[in-house]
Amino acid sequence: MVLLALYHSEGQNGLPVDKSKAFELLQRACELGYAAAHYHLGISYYNGVGVEQDKNKAVHHMQMAAMMGDVHARHNLGIVEDENENFQRAMKHFMIAAKGGYEHSLYVVKLGFRSGH
């Protein structure tokens, strides 16, 4: 269902671009408990793609995905915390994502330790 939503979002595999259909499919997948759906719905809300931009809803869906083990969502929560100048919370998110195997988070953690965070 998440993959189908992404196809609609990008107009891939012969499907027309239909952001509202993609959003609807992601919402349904969230109801079914898919972490990837929460992640992509969070991205949609964060960037205002297919829906009005709402950073609070974006963070909520990222948190849901992160609690389900999605390391990309955890990394993005670190970015949000960093943007809000909550550096310690950001580093915690990056460290959890790095422990989960997300290499870019490991790189960010290394940079953070070098700069004293």
Side-chain angles (χ1 to χ4, degrees):
M1 189 175 297
V2 175
L3 193 55
L4 184 59
L6 297 177
Y7 290 160
H8 275 291
S9 180
E10 301 297 322
Q12 295 177 341
N13 287 354
L15 294 172
V17 173
D18 188 343
K19 302 287 186 187
S20 62
K21 180 69 173 178
F23 184 77
E24 177 186 316
L25 288 167
L26 287 174
Q27 283 183 311
R28 180 70 180 120
C30 285
E31 292 169 6
L32 295 172
Y34 288 97
H38 281 288
Y39 169 75
H40 288 289
L41 200 56
I43 294 294
S44 295
Y45 275 118
Y46 194 83
N47 295 320
V49 175
V51 65
E52 187 173 327
Q53 187 177 38
D54 186 330
K55 298 229 176 159
N56 290 328
K57 286 183 180 179
V59 168
H60 166 75
H61 285 286
M62 290 291 177
Q63 288 171 335
M64 294 297 293
M67 286 188 289
M68 294 176 182
D70 190 300
V71 293
H72 297 98
R74 182 67 69 178
H75 179 84
N76 284 354
L77 287 171
I79 291 171
V80 170
E81 292 295 352
D82 187 67
E83 288 173 352
N84 293 327
E85 297 185 9
N86 297 324
F87 301 119
Q88 288 183 332
R89 287 190 70 165
M91 284 301 287
K92 286 181 183 179
H93 286 299
F94 292 136
M95 288 172 58
I96 292 169
K99 284 181 184 178
Y102 193 52
E103 298 238 355
H104 189 66
S105 288
L106 179 59
Y107 174 75
V108 173
V109 168
K110 288 178 187 178
L111 290 177
F113 278 116
R114 286 183 186 151
S115 65
H117 290 286

